[in-house]
Amino acid sequence: MLAFHNDYHAGAHPRVLDALVRTNGQAQNGYGEDEYCSSARNKIRQAICDSSADIFFLAGGTQTNQIVIDTMLQPWQGVISADTGHISVHEAGAIEYSGHKVLTIPSAQGLMNPSDIRNYVADFYRDPNHEHMVFPGMVYLSYPSEYGTLYSPEQLRTIRAVCDEFDMRLFIDGARLAYALGSEDEHMSLAEIAQIADAFYIGGTKAGALLGEAVVFPRGSAPAHFGTQIKQHGALLAQGRVLGVQFDALFTDNLYENIGKEANRLAQRLVQVMRKHGFEQYMDSPTNQQFFVMNEEQFTRLKACATVSLWEPPHDGRYIVRLVTSWDTTEEMINELDTALK
């Protein structure tokens, strides 16, 4: 079966795996205090043009979202998210479990309108009863979105301005950041993201690593005792070197961005093949996630040759299906899909 169901179905990129093997026998300190974590931090600081940034390595995206949001918010605050946002839909209530409500905003193609965010917060403060309500303390967004779409630089700067106006933090989920950086569409660079975000993370799990996310607090702005709070959440990895080695490899010779570029290129080839065989594209996406509308017969035919994700429950015989490319996707796989669908 051809694997297009997600971008973490395979193990590590060969260069990442080679780095893990080469360094395996070397004795190192634990808990992220090893030489590889130090090297990876320095490379990330160079990439974001911020020598003072605080950088921490965590194992997975959900724990990263929960810990960052929990440590940056006050107990009476919640976090604004698109109604399709990962923390709202696919994290099993992890944010609410930590005591913070997810405040959802309607989205279009996975993206919030900056005006809707501002109106939501302005209406909150106009309400004479707002002291009895959950205060919006942060805006959370994914870049790319859950539908592979990208906020424009202008939209992101406008959201930053809204956050400044109402004293809110801006947190960018970069689980698939490699595919935003590798997009041919207009997008922000790592350095520009670091300029506008109060916190963001560089996703490794979905971009060539076995596991791992690099949390960045620009300008040395990490919450007090953030490392201690990671441990309180049960998320401090003793074998922190495993994360450091991988990010050190990903940020050597531009590997991270190149993984995104190649997966995006193959995603567009995938779109061409799917359209050729009568599958309707659900929306335009410049990154590695592609969505298609199909009927039951088409869905059955596709599943016979490829593993894919049913993204939305079937409605009136209409299926929304996601296909994803990743570091291990090849031209041969796309050609095989083309042949199998004939």
Side-chain angles (χ1 to χ4, degrees):
M1 294 287 283
L2 299 166
F4 294 108
H5 54 299
N6 60 46
D7 38 20
Y8 46 92
H9 58 257
H13 186 281
R15 282 173 55 184
V16 173
L17 188 59
D18 177 65
L20 287 167
V21 172
R22 281 188 291 102
T23 61
N24 187 59
Q26 299 178 15
Q28 294 287 318
N29 292 330
Y31 303 107
E33 299 301 322
D34 59 278
E35 65 179 274
Y36 305 112
C37 284
S38 178
S39 176
R41 289 188 186 100
N42 287 334
K43 289 178 180 179
I44 291 172
R45 288 180 181 128
Q46 290 174 7
I48 65 175
C49 303
D50 183 354
S51 61
S52 63
D54 293 323
I55 300 169
F56 301 84
F57 299 106
L58 291 164
T62 297
Q63 67 173 194
T64 298
N65 286 334
Q66 185 196 57
I67 294 170
V68 170
I69 291 170
D70 188 33
T71 57
M72 292 188 75
L73 291 182
Q74 296 296 329
W76 56 86
Q77 292 178 320
V79 52
I80 292 174
S81 165
D83 53 5
T84 55
H86 208 264
I87 62 171
S88 176
V89 180
H90 287 147
E91 291 192 343
I95 308 306
E96 288 86 350
Y97 188 77
S98 69
H100 301 283
K101 187 175 182 179
V102 178
L103 310 167
T104 56
I105 299 285
S107 61
Q109 297 188 342
L111 305 175
M112 295 179 287
N113 187 313
S115 296
D116 291 342
I117 298 173
R118 191 192 183 284
N119 291 339
Y120 178 94
V121 183
D123 287 346
F124 170 84
Y125 283 106
R126 276 195 292 263
D127 191 322
N129 296 305
H130 69 262
E131 283 289 345
H132 301 272
M133 300 158 65
V134 177
F135 279 65
M138 173 186 284
V139 173
Y140 160 97
L141 59 88
S142 297
Y143 189 70
S145 76
E146 296 305 299
Y147 284 87
T149 50
L150 294 175
Y151 289 92
S152 70
E154 181 182 0
Q155 287 174 315
L156 288 174
R157 293 189 183 100
T158 303
I159 292 172
R160 171 75 264 175
V162 173
C163 289
D164 290 340
E165 180 181 359
F166 292 100
D167 192 24
M168 298 187 297
R169 310 285 78 78
L170 176 58
F171 173 40
I172 296 178
D173 177 334
R176 292 189 169 93
L177 187 55
Y179 307 106
L181 299 175
S183 170
E184 292 187 355
D185 277 26
E186 186 182 17
H187 62 273
M188 282 199 156
S189 67
L190 268 177
E192 290 171 323
I193 291 169
Q195 289 172 0
I196 71 159
D198 293 292
F200 69 96
Y201 73 93
I202 301 166
T205 302
K206 297 173 180 175
L210 285 174
L211 73 164
E213 326 296 327
V215 182
V216 181
F217 294 98
R219 302 168 292 280
S221 60
H225 307 291
F226 185 73
T228 305
Q229 294 187 80
I230 292 173
K231 191 153 195 176
Q232 283 187 334
H233 282 78
L236 187 61
L237 192 65
Q239 284 272 16
R241 59 183 291 159
V242 172
L243 304 174
V245 167
Q246 294 181 94
F247 276 94
D248 192 51
L250 288 170
F251 275 79
T252 298
D253 298 329
N254 214 31
L255 176 60
Y256 189 72
E257 187 170 324
N258 287 338
I259 285 173
K261 284 182 179 178
E262 179 64 4
N264 291 347
R265 184 186 72 81
L266 291 171
Q268 295 307 314
R269 280 273 293 116
L270 181 64
V271 169
Q272 293 172 4
V273 167
M274 293 291 285
R275 284 177 170 172
K276 172 182 171 182
H277 294 285
F279 292 88
E280 176 189 351
Q281 196 171 10
Y282 185 45
M283 63 180 69
D284 288 331
S285 163
T287 61
N288 70 319
Q289 296 185 89
Q290 300 295 329
F291 297 82
F292 300 90
V293 183
M294 59 193 72
N295 58 37
E296 185 175 3
E297 183 276 329
Q298 289 176 308
F299 184 47
T300 300
R301 183 158 57 100
L302 181 61
K303 286 198 303 178
C305 59
T307 53
V308 297
S309 296
L310 179 61
W311 200 245
E312 296 180 10
H315 181 69
D316 293 337
R318 184 173 182 260
Y319 292 69
I320 308 298
V321 177
R322 183 185 74 166
L323 280 75
V324 189
T325 56
S326 64
W327 68 263
D328 72 321
T329 306
T330 63
E331 288 278 2
E332 289 73 22
M333 290 172 62
I334 307 294
N335 293 336
E336 285 183 44
L337 180 65
D338 187 11
T339 301
L341 290 174
K342 286 180 181 176

